[in-house]
Amino acid sequence: MSLEKEINRRRTFAIISHPDAGKTTLTEKLLLYGGAINLAGSVKGKATARHAVSDWMEIEKERGISVTSSVLQFEYDGFCINILDTPGHQDFSEDTYRTLMAADSAVMVIDASKGVEAQTRKLFKVCGMRGIPIFTFINKMDRDANETLDLLDEIEKELGIETCPMNWPIGSGKNFKGVFDRREKKIVTYSDTQKGTKEGETHIIDYSDEAAVIDCIGTDAKDKLDEDMELYDIAGAEFDLDRVRDGKLTPVFFGSALTNFGVEIFLQNFLQMTTTPLARHSDQGLIDPVEKPFSAFVFKIQANMNKAHRDRIAFMRICSGHFDASEEVKHVQGNKNMRLLQPQQLMASERKILEEAYAGDIIGVFDPGIFSIGDTICNTKENIKYDGIPTFAPEHFARVRQIDTMKRKQFVKGISQIAQEGAIQIFQEISSGMEEIIVGVVGVLQFEVLKYRLENEYNVEIRMEPLPYEHIRWIVNHESVDVSKLSGTSDMKKIQDLKGNPLLLFVNAWSVGMTLDRNPGLELSEFGNAM
Ligand code: G4P
């Protein structure tokens, strides 16, 4: 197959959702369609997804690699599909956000009885920042669901994206009859015998065959559907693929991942509408995935929890060309030619060594400590540097000190290295040294990981004092603002990052707004500069 065909048949996306909306179940069902039946169930299962903090450490140690680091690749209908797992639950961290930087589109799973929830909102913001296409799967229609129009309205208002339902649910819960395909004007009937791999009895009924429609869904459901469609056709957005590709309009599908209803319809439509690997911005302009030789960027670094082997895995998204494991490539930031060591694909708990891969694919490589998040690796004539990955606002903060003052050197080394991997962010009080460090994390589990790793890898015990702040803002125009003169709220704290850039911490979102009001011209951002 030609290079162009190999690349253009790739679809690389992340699934985002609030915990329990059905991300794992949907992923499993998608894998079934890819024929990877044995794999369904090996996706981060309940047992690992619900583990407590201490178990998490055990799991990490046993596997020697994070359970959260998987990319699932499968073939379907000529497409080569890469699903990027975005860790959720307790292991929600900045990595969850960074993973989105490696995807070309996102699938947002929403629980039909809950609507838009907190974590979806946060993840959506990051997708929105990149302007990637977002597809919505409204799940759990086999349970009582919110009104369809209300759900669509909520997505539009809360997330600021227009919706275009590709199909429309007929009833929900015990009365769920199936979906109406708006383009084909057909009903796809639901049967709840479709658990697991078993084929259920799905019928397709032409909507013009009124008798058959009434026979299947009943007069009441038909009247309601007609009414809903009439309302929607007046008020709703038209389907427009360009707007989908720009991330302005989300196609919406309804289904039930658990009973495997609506999943294949979703998959088929999604594959047609989503993009081939996207061109990416670099200091040399946009890099075309097909025309340029191999290039990739590091979006995640996973430290091995195994104390005996302090190795790390760097995850790279291939942005252009063909990766051949036998060829030398250039690590641009390190200014070194090298062969990538042990290039591998990570499927749930398994690792497979790779000989080759293409733009759109994700590979993990052995990292002896040379890569940083955002680094570019390439085989192009001139060096290119991809735009860096921003730092995302942590939401939990703690003041950290080493207990034994004699161990200051190890403490600083350890905490700096862990921060460099991107697991935590570190800050200082303005004009203070490294004695007292303020650590910020996106997910609280990272505090436990920090403590564990400092003790086990660096032999340093620490004391952590939680701080009440939940909002951090970078000062975009700090060069033209006199930070010492800022007039903030009483709960505001001024800190700085290790490069001396000033930041502000706030206890609540209201104070952020108040501080902006009091300081005309001040520009604050939730995203830090690219690393
Ligand atoms: P997550 O990865 O987004 O956190 O969600 P996950 O797939 O683990 O699903 C969360 C719970 O919701 C699971 O139930 C799962 O079976 C259920 N679920 C997922 N999709 C559907 C659906 O379409 N309909 C219904 N009715 N339930 C669904 P659980 O009781 O927590 O686990 P389990 O005992 O069923 O495995």
Side-chain angles (χ1 to χ4, degrees), residues 204-223:
I204 295 181
I205 302 171
D206 210 295
Y207 203 63
S208 59
D209 186 349
E210 202 171 324
V213 171
I214 291 178
D215 192 38
C216 173
I217 67 173
T219 320
D220 288 353
K222 181 172 186 304
D223 288 348

Side-chain angles (χ1 to χ4, degrees), residues 2 37 51 58 70 86 115 125 183 209 224 226 239 250 253 282 333 340 345 400 407 414 423 440 523 526 528:
S2 73
I37 292 167
H51 48 74
E58 286 312 310
S70 47
T86 54
K125 228 185 232 178
R183 284 208 284 198
D209 186 349
K224 168 102 172 70
D226 287 338
F239 181 76
T250 178
F253 299 82
S282 77
Q333 279 77 359
L340 295 179
Q345 197 185 20
V400 179
K407 293 208 169 144
E523 285 176 50
E526 277 180 69

Side-chain angles (χ1 to χ4, degrees), residues 20-25 46 89 139-140 142-143 256-258:
D20 278 350
K23 181 169 73 94
T24 312
T25 314
K46 293 285 125 22
H89 297 264
N139 191 29
K140 304 199 185 179
D142 58 303
R143 290 216 188 134
S256 157
L258 185 69

Side-chain angles (χ1 to χ4, degrees), residues 13 15 102 123 137 186 205 228-229 234 240 337 360 386 401 420 450 461 466 488 516 519 528:
F13 64 97
I15 306 190
L123 291 161
F137 186 82
K186 285 185 171 133
I205 302 171
D228 277 355
M229 285 300 84
I234 300 167
D240 175 344
N337 286 332
Y386 281 108
R401 288 187 199 107
Q420 190 214 344
L450 172 68
E461 282 195 62
L516 281 169
N519 299 277

